[in-house]
Amino acid sequence: WRQRNLMIVLSQFADIQKAHGELDAALAKYEEVLAIARALADELETPESLSDLSFSLNKVAGIEQARGNLDAALAKFEESLAIEQDLFSPSDFSDSVVGSARARNGVCWSTCQLTSCLLAMGNSSRAQTQLTAVEHLIPALEHPDLRDANLLDTAATFHERRAECETQLGDQTLAAASTAKATALRARIADIKSH
């Protein structure tokens, strides 16, 4: 647990550095977190340790993307998504709204992260393919009874990526529909956070 707690603290410092635009310092901390996460995942091979590894890969990739290192970012995003796809199992779906949504969240979030990079690279056709692959999972994340802001954020981000993708592909009608869905979800998130 000490190593995992260290990862959390380092990641929080890196988040602050990123928010202040200190990308090099944030990247160094996130890479430290990634090294610990990779070692723990190799040693433990538990769903939690693999999920931490996926999360850490996304953090490093996000900084690489922000710095314009799109190839490096893409490789990390792809590794993260592969981990989430391995962890994902329809047998994990529960009868509860939240449980069912959480079972889908990791693979959907990692797909959104990957498509962000693909869109930055101008590869909208591959981004569309990636989004289409998880589209059937999204309704559980936007269920009317769901009050989990993080899960709703994944659904909103999906629709934002879809809108960006459709815009790049020249379909303004689909882009507008996706933007409207994202806007409605962002309003639900704001309402949840205000109560």
Side-chain angles (χ1 to χ4, degrees):
W1 287 111
R2 286 197 335 220
Q3 288 292 87
R4 191 163 193 274
N5 287 339
L6 176 60
M7 283 171 44
I8 292 167
V9 170
L10 288 171
S11 190
Q12 289 170 339
F13 275 116
D15 289 344
I16 292 166
Q17 290 170 321
K18 180 184 175 185
H20 285 96
E22 301 167 14
L23 297 184
D24 290 342
L27 179 61
K29 289 257 186 337
Y30 285 139
E31 285 178 335
E32 248 185 284
V33 172
L34 177 57
I36 295 167
R38 199 177 292 283
L40 287 174
D42 288 345
E43 178 187 339
L44 304 174
E45 295 182 0
T46 61
E48 181 183 62
S49 67
L50 291 167
S51 183
D52 286 345
L53 175 56
S54 172
F55 181 80
S56 301
L57 285 161
N58 275 330
K59 289 289 194 176
V60 171
I63 296 287
E64 292 289 18
Q65 182 174 338
R67 296 172 76 214
N69 300 332
L70 298 181
D71 289 334
L74 184 64
K76 296 278 190 299
F77 283 136
E78 287 173 332
E79 186 180 354
S80 172
L81 179 57
I83 291 166
E84 292 296 344
Q85 287 170 330
D86 286 345
L87 289 173
F88 177 73
S89 170
S91 65
D92 292 340
F93 294 176
S94 76
D95 292 333
S96 79
V97 169
V98 174
S100 184
R102 285 191 178 138
R104 294 164 165 84
N105 192 55
V107 73
C108 292
W109 180 251
S110 288
T111 298
C112 288
Q113 298 298 95
L114 174 62
T115 55
S116 170
C117 187
L118 290 169
L119 290 166
M121 298 172 97
N123 194 343
S124 49
S125 60
R126 183 171 169 212
Q128 183 183 49
T129 300
Q130 293 290 332
L131 291 167
T132 300
V134 298
E135 189 169 25
H136 67 288
L137 302 175
I138 295 300
L141 298 175
E142 52 193 16
H143 191 283
D145 295 337
L146 195 63
R147 305 270 314 152
D148 186 313
N150 290 329
L151 299 175
L152 289 167
D153 178 65
T154 298
T157 302
F158 171 86
H159 291 297
E160 289 161 356
R161 295 289 183 272
R162 172 71 83 191
E164 188 179 347
C165 184
E166 296 301 345
T167 298
Q168 282 190 18
L169 291 169
D171 193 328
Q172 298 308 318
T173 302
L174 284 177
S178 292
T179 298
K181 287 179 182 177
T183 301
L185 288 165
R186 294 286 174 210
R188 278 179 64 191
I189 294 167
D191 181 58
I192 289 167
K193 290 183 175 180
S194 70
H195 289 95

